[in-house]
């Protein structure tokens, strides 16, 4: 056979014939022929590189002259810059040039299209998207549940108890005859970053969490500190605290000696108990008598709507009865309920107990109560629940 001049020689002396018709196949097929010494080899580039219907690769020889060997001849121009030859594969790169370590002028350039990348990584991409969706859904669920728990009544009250977020307001009660403020009832309030929670909501929650005694101690401690620190609150001032009836039935509770230690102004300390069947138990009566022996006064709150009877009142030996506001509010209508007030007055006189009328809102109610010889009154007419500084002004007669 007549030997055709090679297209190029490598630095090792190997001769290359590019796309040469092959005699064996009657020159109907072409191949790249490489000659080393006395041996020839025919290279099928599609087998060497891998079949590619997108033609996104090009094999070339970059010696003294550029030679296209296989693939897509448009990927590399007739000349190559140093930047082209120094290109490296990146994680998200769609193209690179890689030269053989031994035949350093024989290089392969790959330039993948986006379709190829999607074909190769579609499974990974679907898995990644699925993982992202599941992560987002899980994060949303956890965040929603966390915020819901954080904003729930139970969580807010529990956190408020642990962090001492409850605070005190003071509603004055007055001597109806003189109109002077002679004492106050300590009321608990709560507010956090989500807004206020009112007593009719948080009191049942405190009971449910079995934190009644801890709550009571916290409120009493706060109130005693604030009242002692204000110089305008006089000595001997009546200070009334609400206690949970259930706490009077439990051994180990109602240790209020710390209140006596804090009572540097000799306040007249009144413990209010809402009428409840639990205060009629033997243990409750025992605790009440013990506390009275230490100097505490007792008041039955909301009298007239609960469980108290004459026998129970005698047993408890309380100092005050607080007439429930519902009786006072009905006075102007001359209702059956309001007509019971004189009978309550008679009961109190017979037991030598002072009366405090709750819910006094206008002067007519005040005058009628004075006519019934009721000594003390409490309500918006005399002042709403207020800060200790506002209470001090009320004591001084400053409006």
């Amino acid at each position: 056979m007549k030997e055709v001049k090679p297209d190029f020689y490598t630095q090792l002396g190997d001769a290359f014939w590019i796309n040469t018709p092959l005699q064996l196949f009657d020159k109907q097929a072409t191949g790249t022929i490489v000659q080393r010494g006395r041996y020839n080899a025919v290279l099928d580039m599609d087998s060497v590189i891998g079949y590619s219907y997108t033609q996104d690769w090009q094999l070339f020889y970059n010696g003294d002259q550029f030679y296209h060997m296989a693939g897509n001849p448009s990927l590399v121009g007739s000349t190559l810059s140093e930047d082209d030859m120094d290109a490296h594969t990146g994680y998200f790169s769609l193209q690179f040039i890689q030269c053989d370590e031994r035949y350093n002028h024989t290089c392969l350039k790959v330039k993948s299209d986006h379709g190829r990348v999607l074909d190769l990584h579609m499974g990974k991409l679907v898995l990644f998207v699925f993982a992202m969706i599941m992560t987002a859904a899980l994060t949303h669920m956890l965040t929603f549940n966390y915020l819901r728990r954080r904003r729930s009544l139970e969580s807010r009250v529990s956190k408020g108890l642990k962090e001492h977020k409850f605070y005190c307001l003071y509603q004055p009660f007055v001597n109806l005859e003189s109109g002077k403020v002679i004492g106050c009832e300590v009321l608990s309030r709560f507010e956090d970053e989500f807004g206020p929670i009112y007593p009719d909501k948080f009191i049942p929650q405190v009971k449910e969490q079995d934190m009644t005694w801890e709550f009571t101690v916290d409120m009493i401690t706060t109130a005693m500190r604030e009242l002692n620190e204000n110089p305008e609150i006089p000595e001997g001032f009546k200070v009334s605290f609400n206690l949970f009836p259930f706490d009077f039935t439990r051994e180990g509770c109602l240790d209020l000696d710390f209140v006596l230690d804090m009572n540097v102004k000799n306040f007249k300390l009144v413990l209010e108990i809402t009428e409840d069947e639990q205060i009629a138990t033997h243990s409750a009566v025992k605790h009440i008598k013990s506390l009275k022996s230490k100097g505490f006064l007792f008041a039955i709150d909301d009298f007239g709507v609960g469980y108290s009877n004459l026998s129970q009142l005698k047993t408890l030996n309380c100092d005050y009865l607080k007439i429930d506001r519902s009786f006072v509010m009905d006075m102007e209508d001359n209702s059956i309920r309001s007509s019971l007030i004189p009978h309550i007055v008679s009961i109190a006189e017979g037991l030598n107990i002072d009366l405090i009328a709750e819910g006094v809102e206008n002067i007519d109610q005040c005058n009628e109560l004075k006519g019934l010889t009721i000594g003390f009154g409490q309500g918006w007419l005399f002042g709403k629940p207020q800060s200790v500084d506002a209470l001090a002004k009320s004591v001084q007669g400053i409006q």
Side-chain angles (χ1 to χ4, degrees), residues 116-148:
R116 171 68 65 84
V117 174
L118 290 176
D119 288 342
L120 292 175
H121 302 290
M122 181 58 73
K124 297 178 183 177
L125 183 61
V126 171
L127 182 61
F128 175 75
V129 172
F130 177 77
M132 289 294 294
I133 293 175
M134 293 300 297
T135 301
L138 180 62
T139 301
H140 174 76
M141 182 177 65
L142 293 176
T143 302
F144 176 78
N145 288 337
Y146 168 75
L147 292 176
R148 183 177 63 180

Side-chain angles (χ1 to χ4, degrees), residues 67 135 148 271 338 392:
Y67 294 97
T135 301
R148 183 177 63 180
L271 305 180
S338 65

Side-chain angles (χ1 to χ4, degrees), residues 347-364:
I347 293 172
E349 289 176 348
L351 296 174
N352 194 27
I353 298 174
D354 289 326
L355 287 172
I356 302 173
E358 295 183 293
V360 183
E361 296 185 355
N362 58 59
I363 194 65
D364 292 333

Side-chain angles (χ1 to χ4, degrees), residues 47-331:
S47 298
V48 173
I49 305 300
Y51 176 72
S52 173
Y53 61 87
T54 57
Q55 293 292 299
D56 55 4
W57 59 271
Q58 181 183 10
L59 186 66
F60 61 91
Y61 183 78
N62 191 43
D64 297 334
Q65 187 177 351
F66 173 82
Y67 294 97
H68 168 73
M69 299 173 65
N72 186 353
S74 65
L75 294 185
V76 179
S78 59
T79 59
L80 290 172
S81 67
E82 291 295 327
D83 291 338
D84 287 334
M85 296 304 296
D86 290 337
H88 296 285
T89 303
Y91 188 76
F92 293 105
S93 174
L94 294 179
Q95 60 180 316
F96 67 91
I97 294 178
Q98 185 69 43
C99 297
D100 186 78
E101 293 181 359
R102 184 174 184 186
Y103 298 95
N104 59 348
H105 289 294
T106 305
C107 303
L108 176 69
K109 178 169 184 178
V110 176
K111 184 178 181 181
S112 298
D113 58 17
H114 292 82
R116 171 68 65 84
V117 174
L118 290 176
D119 288 342
L120 292 175
H121 302 290
M122 181 58 73
K124 297 178 183 177
L125 183 61
V126 171
L127 182 61
F128 175 75
V129 172
F130 177 77
M132 289 294 294
I133 293 175
M134 293 300 297
T135 301
L138 180 62
T139 301
H140 174 76
M141 182 177 65
L142 293 176
T143 302
F144 176 78
N145 288 337
Y146 168 75
L147 292 176
R148 183 177 63 180
R149 288 195 302 270
R150 190 179 176 205
R151 297 192 66 165
S152 69
L153 179 63
E154 179 183 1
S155 176
R156 292 170 67 188
V157 171
S158 177
K159 183 180 179 182
L161 288 168
K162 293 176 182 178
E163 299 181 1
H164 307 285
K165 292 295 183 66
F166 288 84
Y167 64 95
C168 295
L169 292 181
Y170 308 87
Q171 186 169 27
F173 54 83
V174 303
N175 183 310
L176 291 178
E177 191 62 37
S178 66
K180 291 185 177 180
V181 176
I182 50 89
C184 70
E185 179 182 355
V186 179
L187 302 172
S188 56
R189 295 292 186 266
F190 178 82
E191 186 170 0
D192 59 10
E193 64 269 28
F194 302 114
I197 302 177
Y198 296 103
D200 62 330
K201 299 294 184 182
F202 70 68
I203 291 298
Q205 189 59 228
V206 171
K207 291 180 181 178
E208 186 174 327
Q209 296 186 26
D210 195 25
M211 294 287 286
T212 54
W213 182 239
E214 292 80 359
F215 173 80
T216 297
V217 170
D218 196 24
M219 291 294 97
I220 293 178
T221 302
T222 300
M224 291 297 291
R225 184 180 66 251
E226 292 182 349
L227 293 169
N228 279 323
E229 291 176 353
N230 193 299
E232 303 301 327
I233 303 297
E235 293 196 11
F237 200 62
K238 285 185 174 67
V239 181
S240 184
F241 301 102
N242 288 281
L243 273 70
F244 293 89
F246 176 68
D247 284 337
F248 284 89
T249 67
R250 297 196 291 184
E251 297 293 337
C253 288
L254 295 172
D255 181 6
L256 294 175
D257 290 349
F258 76 94
V259 187
L260 301 176
D261 295 335
M262 296 182 69
N263 193 19
V264 296
K265 287 189 176 182
N266 296 316
F267 295 137
K268 294 178 181 178
L269 303 174
V270 183
L271 305 180
E272 293 189 19
I273 315 173
T274 303
E275 288 186 278
D276 191 287
E277 72 274 13
Q278 294 175 4
I279 64 173
T281 62
H282 175 74
S283 59
V285 173
K286 181 182 69 174
H287 281 125
I288 291 171
K289 288 183 177 179
S290 174
L291 290 169
K292 283 184 68 67
S293 69
K294 295 180 180 181
F296 289 97
L297 303 175
F298 273 83
I300 300 296
D301 196 15
D302 300 333
F303 182 74
V305 296
Y307 296 87
S308 292
N309 53 51
L310 287 175
S311 176
Q312 186 173 322
L313 289 177
K314 290 180 181 179
T315 302
L316 295 176
N317 191 25
C318 61
D319 303 281
Y320 298 96
L321 290 180
K322 300 189 75 173
I323 302 174
D324 185 70
R325 66 182 63 251
S326 60
F327 290 91
V328 177
M329 292 174 63
D330 289 349
M331 289 179 65

